[in-house]
Amino acid sequence: MIEFINVSKVYRKKGNVVHALKDIYLTIPKGKIFGLIGYSGAGKSTLLRTINLLETPTSGKVIVNGQDVTTFNQSALRKHRLNVGMIFQQFNLIHSKTVAENIAFSLKAAGIKEKDYQGRIDELLALVGLTERKNNYPKELSGGQKQRVGIARALANNPDILLCDEATSALDPETTKSILDLIQNINRQLGITVVVITHEMDVIKEICDEVAVMDHGEIVELGDVFTIFSNPKSSLTKHFVNEIYHLELPEKYINLQEPNKEIITVKFIGDKAETAFVNNLYKQFNCDISIIQGRIEYIQNQPLGMLTFSVSGTNEERQRIYEYIQASEGIEVA
Ligand SMILES: Nc1ncnc2c1ncn2[C@@H]1O[C@H](COP(=O)(O)OP(=O)(O)OP(=O)(O)O)[C@@H](O)[C@H]1O
Ligand SMILES: [Mg+2]
């Protein structure tokens, strides 16, 4: 478990003061994949980097496995850092070293002798699917392969925690998916707690259990991923959630001004949402319905959908339709 208690970070440079983190309270449960999302400058990297003390908080405590890491002396800190692997957007590999030597770098840092770590390198290469690339140099690898080396290096010393700072932001969607799958497998197989920074809600949707939304050094929303997606509260979270639906109505519908016709968007939340909704609406009210836009996503294996349609009828008829929607389980007006 990782716990932030009243953590603040202030950067001061040449009279310039930046409050990068403001009184953060947050608990990241053990064994979960936890997402941090927010715009550039929100404080995501700063918060992540307090976990392995690449950034020292100005005030507050960062408790990892029951110990406040901000109080560690050099030797305790060195040991702690071996227990926290990290991967980066730009991979941070050593260009003059082969794949195997890059991984060996982490093992040597832990004081392991060369004769003892060869087997471990092979194990790690098999885990990330790079056995064939052992003696290649980073420049001979694709972006996805470089990140696999980054992951192998981060896991070399069997850490409890893996920190991922925009680990897939430099990759195409296909490669992103394969790296996210690998991170999820590692989390499930090895039980490692994973903290993922991203600015893409798709990444959160794909692999995270819980998510915190950050803005200007603060956590503005926090919860399990399905709850956040199905019921976002803050305008920033709503903005991120809408990204995954790609629902932007054409101008003519946004400003629809036809008498006795209106546009309604409904949300379908979870398994209970009635799938024959449109059919039933039509049967019950015999109204004119035209579907304009719709999408169903599966988040943590639960369906979450959005449907926009136009409906014709008198004011009273349309009022009854709203009442019908309100009475339907798992369905609400968006
Ligand atoms: N070493 C530093 N010195 C001064 N200011 C810094 C330093 N590191 C970060 N900051 C500032 O702290 C704030 C938070 O930065 P941080 O890198 O944590 O944001 P972020 O959410 O990770 O952004 P991005 O998505 O662009 O990576 C920003 O205003 C940034 O300019
Ligand atoms: Mg960052």
Side-chain angles (χ1 to χ4, degrees):
M1 189 165 93
I2 305 164
E3 211 178 345
F4 301 88
I5 302 175
N6 205 10
V7 170
S8 293
K9 175 73 184 183
V10 184
Y11 291 109
R12 294 173 205 276
K13 222 177 223 173
K14 294 181 187 155
N16 203 1
V17 179
V18 178
H19 291 265
L21 299 175
K22 301 172 190 164
D23 308 325
I24 300 280
Y25 285 87
L26 174 68
T27 300
I28 298 179
K30 198 174 171 58
K32 298 279 184 199
I33 304 185
F34 190 95
L36 283 173
I37 192 164
Y39 287 132
S40 184
K44 307 180 295 293
S45 296
T46 306
L47 184 65
L48 190 84
R49 291 159 71 89
T50 63
I51 296 172
N52 54 2
L53 242 54
L54 291 180
E55 296 290 349
T56 312
T58 309
S59 58
K61 295 177 181 180
V62 180
I63 315 276
V64 180
N65 297 334
Q67 288 182 295
D68 181 1
V69 303
T70 65
T71 64
F72 281 173
N73 61 22
Q74 278 305 319
S75 112
L77 185 56
R78 207 173 313 120
K79 221 170 125 211
H80 170 62
R81 283 188 176 146
L82 294 176
N83 195 33
V84 183
M86 189 164 184
I87 57 174
F88 308 86
Q89 179 172 358
Q90 297 305 334
F91 321 122
N92 295 10
L93 302 181
I94 305 165
H95 297 291
S96 58
K97 290 187 187 291
T98 64
V99 166
E101 288 163 353
N102 265 280
I103 300 170
F105 192 79
S106 277
L107 295 159
K108 279 186 205 161
I112 304 171
K113 298 272 175 297
E114 188 169 349
K115 64 176 173 37
D116 297 325
Y117 64 55
Q118 288 306 333
R120 178 68 182 144
I121 289 176
D122 291 339
E123 233 174 70
L124 288 158
L125 287 172
L127 180 72
V128 301
L130 276 187
T131 303
E132 311 295 312
R133 295 294 186 161
K134 185 172 177 178
N135 297 313
N136 283 96
Y137 285 88
K139 68 170 188 295
E140 298 164 338
L141 303 178
S142 69
Q145 289 169 335
K146 283 182 201 165
Q147 194 57 289
R148 284 170 189 269
V149 180
I151 292 172
R153 184 184 56 186
L155 298 179
N157 296 307
N158 291 308
D160 278 346
I161 297 169
L162 176 65
L163 308 179
C164 311
D165 194 346
E166 302 272 10
T168 56
S169 298
L171 305 175
D172 62 59
E174 197 85 344
T175 314
T176 292
K177 174 92 176 63
S178 78
I179 294 294
L180 293 179
D181 285 348
L182 177 61
I183 291 172
Q184 194 169 45
N185 284 339
I186 286 164
N187 163 260
R188 288 185 181 155
Q189 274 177 33
L190 309 176
I192 294 178
T193 307
V194 182
V195 190
V196 173
I197 288 184
T198 183
H199 56 265
E200 289 173 72
M201 213 54 175
D202 270 328
V203 171
I204 304 282
K205 187 193 88 183
E206 244 3 272
I207 58 167
C208 292
D209 300 301
E210 293 187 24
V211 57
V213 182
M214 288 191 74
D215 190 24
H216 291 99
E218 294 177 278
I219 290 173
V220 293
E221 206 156 337
L222 170 72
D224 81 86
V225 168
F226 189 79
T227 306
I228 294 285
F229 273 86
S230 58
N231 193 15
K233 299 269 196 288
S234 73
S235 57
L236 180 61
T237 312
K238 284 179 186 162
H239 173 85
F240 279 125
V241 168
N242 280 338
E243 258 180 27
I244 66 152
Y245 292 108
H246 306 288
L247 295 180
E248 262 112 50
L249 284 182
E251 200 68 19
K252 65 173 181 173
Y253 291 120
I254 294 174
N255 300 316
L256 184 79
Q257 283 183 346
E258 281 184 43
N260 291 330
K261 188 170 183 180
E262 72 178 291
I263 306 287
I264 302 177
T265 298
V266 291
K267 251 196 291 192
F268 294 78
I269 305 167
D271 293 324
K272 293 214 176 82
E274 175 191 12
T275 46
F277 172 75
V278 175
N279 195 18
N280 290 352
L281 206 58
Y282 175 72
K283 272 201 275 186
Q284 189 133 353
F285 299 99
N286 197 21
C287 49
D288 252 350
I289 298 175
S290 304
I291 290 176
I292 296 171
Q293 214 169 41
R295 191 180 174 96
I296 295 185
E297 288 288 339
Y298 287 83
I299 294 160
Q300 296 176 331
N301 292 321
Q302 297 183 74
L304 189 61
M306 285 276 200
L307 180 71
T308 302
F309 56 90
S310 72
V311 61
S312 301
T314 63
N315 281 349
E316 294 80 54
E317 283 165 341
R318 287 177 359 245
Q319 183 55 36
R320 282 209 302 280
I321 287 174
Y322 273 105
E323 284 162 12
Y324 175 77
I325 295 169
Q326 257 146 27
S328 303
E329 197 172 5
I331 297 178
E332 58 185 54
V333 177

